[in-house]
Amino acid sequence: MAFTQETIRAAFEHFDLNKDGFISVDEFIAIMTRVGEGCNPISEEKARQAFKDCDINGDGKVEYDEFAATWANPKMQGIIGAPAPPAPTPPPAPPSSMLKQKSMSKFGIESNEYDEMRRDFNEMDVDQDGRVSIEEVRQALTKERDGNAPSEKELASVMAGFDVNKDGKVTFNEYVAAMCGGDPEPDEDAISEPAPAAASLPPSTAAVTAGSGACCAPPPPVSLHKQQSMKTFDIEYDEYDELRKDFDAVDANGSGTLDVDEVRKLLSQERNGTAPTETELAAMMSSLDLDGDGQVTFDEYIKALCT
């Protein structure tokens, strides 16, 4: 069984026999020494030791935050004789084309982000010749603007941002490079590479257009992660940027994740230098670290703050 917030909550309520919101030492021992509780019964001595490990603040009772912070810990599971569940084996990844592998490595994007760009590009490529013409870009922009066609200057500006070799056509590799920022890979399979088998998604061209007003150079492309997060959590462009700025400020070592010490520092700063208790710190980590691996990713940070 995986240790999720739901399963940990259910376990806590199972121990809290009198439903007063706390687990007493007697309740804990009663459950842990009873046969048929999902793991082998343990001695009263081991049960008392396990209770002490759960009672972080040493007040003689275990609150939910203390229970959540310690129950799935490998040490605790070793004491009670129920090993923590093994990490699931990820399914094998489908084979990727050489171009896909190169693009993922060069631009630092994931397989699903690459596939989404391929679907968007293929939707714009109406005649399916592997390249998007100026007329196809015009159609895509008109569709995104509810039937309002772009001006010729706007159209030229958008094409200039995508058509790197200025041949009047946008290849998929030029499209990827424009969306991710960089130079395109050689078009060795721009025409022959099939689209991933999935429902078409709306084109992302709007992210790099200047709008329906006066012509201007296209702004920097919006990353697919940013687009997906804005859509999933219904947040604005500047809200996402603020979340990223705050996360990076706390990520002191630039590892891309937050550890417990960095979260402690964050809470201390918010409290004008007053450090959180271990119980408070454990509760915060429990709310942010959704997969329980001891590190908070940016995705977990966004989800915790926006849901």
Side-chain angles (χ1 to χ4, degrees), residues 65-146:
D65 289 342
E66 294 175 309
F67 187 83
T70 56
W71 183 245
N73 188 290
K75 178 183 177 182
M76 176 62 64
Q77 293 302 307
I79 292 174
I80 68 175
T89 303
S96 299
S97 70
M98 184 63 69
L99 174 63
K100 181 174 181 177
Q101 294 175 14
K102 287 181 179 179
S103 295
M104 288 168 59
S105 175
K106 180 174 182 176
F107 299 116
I109 58 177
E110 300 296 328
S111 177
N112 63 323
E113 294 175 318
Y114 180 94
D115 289 345
E116 183 175 346
M117 283 190 283
R118 168 57 77 180
R119 288 191 290 268
D120 290 348
F121 180 85
N122 284 355
E123 183 170 318
M124 289 187 288
D125 182 18
V126 178
D127 61 10
Q128 297 297 299
D129 67 349
R131 292 173 173 79
V132 175
S133 67
I134 190 170
E135 287 304 317
E136 288 170 326
V137 172
R138 190 197 309 276
Q139 291 177 35
L141 292 176
T142 301
K143 180 179 179 181
E144 288 179 349
R145 299 176 180 185
D146 297 324

Side-chain angles (χ1 to χ4, degrees), residues 151-170:
S151 68
E152 292 303 314
K153 287 185 177 181
E154 289 177 310
L155 191 58
S157 177
V158 172
M159 284 295 292
F162 285 100
D163 184 16
V164 176
N165 63 5
K166 310 304 178 185
D167 66 351
K169 297 273 189 175
V170 178

Side-chain angles (χ1 to χ4, degrees), residues 10-11 13 30 96 133 198 284 286:
E13 292 176 354
S96 299
S133 67
M284 177 61 75
S286 178

Side-chain angles (χ1 to χ4, degrees), residues 10-267:
F12 177 84
E13 292 176 354
H14 183 61
F15 277 83
D16 182 17
L17 298 176
N18 63 4
K19 307 305 177 187
D20 63 353
F22 303 98
I23 301 174
S24 69
V25 64
D26 291 335
E27 289 174 324
F28 194 92
I29 292 174
I31 293 295
M32 296 307 301
T33 58
R34 185 187 302 172
V35 177
E37 291 296 337
C39 60
N40 294 327
I42 63 175
S43 67
E44 181 176 334
E45 180 181 357
K46 282 189 174 182
R48 287 187 182 278
Q49 180 58 52
F51 180 84
K52 289 181 180 179
D53 290 338
C54 286
D55 183 17
I56 296 173
N57 62 9
D59 65 353
K61 56 187 178 182
V62 175
E63 303 173 20
Y64 174 73
D65 289 342
E66 294 175 309
F67 187 83
T70 56
W71 183 245
N73 188 290
K75 178 183 177 182
M76 176 62 64
Q77 293 302 307
I79 292 174
I80 68 175
T89 303
S96 299
S97 70
M98 184 63 69
L99 174 63
K100 181 174 181 177
Q101 294 175 14
K102 287 181 179 179
S103 295
M104 288 168 59
S105 175
K106 180 174 182 176
F107 299 116
I109 58 177
E110 300 296 328
S111 177
N112 63 323
E113 294 175 318
Y114 180 94
D115 289 345
E116 183 175 346
M117 283 190 283
R118 168 57 77 180
R119 288 191 290 268
D120 290 348
F121 180 85
N122 284 355
E123 183 170 318
M124 289 187 288
D125 182 18
V126 178
D127 61 10
Q128 297 297 299
D129 67 349
R131 292 173 173 79
V132 175
S133 67
I134 190 170
E135 287 304 317
E136 288 170 326
V137 172
R138 190 197 309 276
Q139 291 177 35
L141 292 176
T142 301
K143 180 179 179 181
E144 288 179 349
R145 299 176 180 185
D146 297 324
N148 294 317
S151 68
E152 292 303 314
K153 287 185 177 181
E154 289 177 310
L155 191 58
S157 177
V158 172
M159 284 295 292
F162 285 100
D163 184 16
V164 176
N165 63 5
K166 310 304 178 185
D167 66 351
K169 297 273 189 175
V170 178
T171 67
F172 177 62
N173 299 317
E174 290 176 321
Y175 178 75
V176 171
M179 293 297 293
C180 298
D183 298 321
E185 289 291 330
D187 288 299
E188 56 192 66
D189 62 349
I191 298 177
S192 61
E193 181 175 297
S200 294
L201 299 176
S204 304
T205 314
V208 293
T209 60
S212 57
C215 175
C216 62
V222 179
S223 71
L224 287 178
H225 181 275
K226 187 170 185 175
Q227 294 179 36
Q228 291 167 345
S229 297
M230 290 167 61
K231 180 178 179 181
T232 300
F233 301 111
D234 193 26
I235 57 177
E236 298 299 329
Y237 190 103
D238 58 343
E239 293 175 306
Y240 177 98
D241 287 346
E242 188 68 24
L243 288 169
R244 168 54 76 178
K245 180 180 178 182
D246 291 344
F247 181 91
D248 289 346
V250 179
D251 182 18
N253 61 7
S255 64
T257 60
L258 306 181
D259 59 26
V260 66
D261 289 332
E262 289 171 326
V263 173
R264 179 185 286 110
K265 182 179 179 181
L266 170 64
L267 292 175

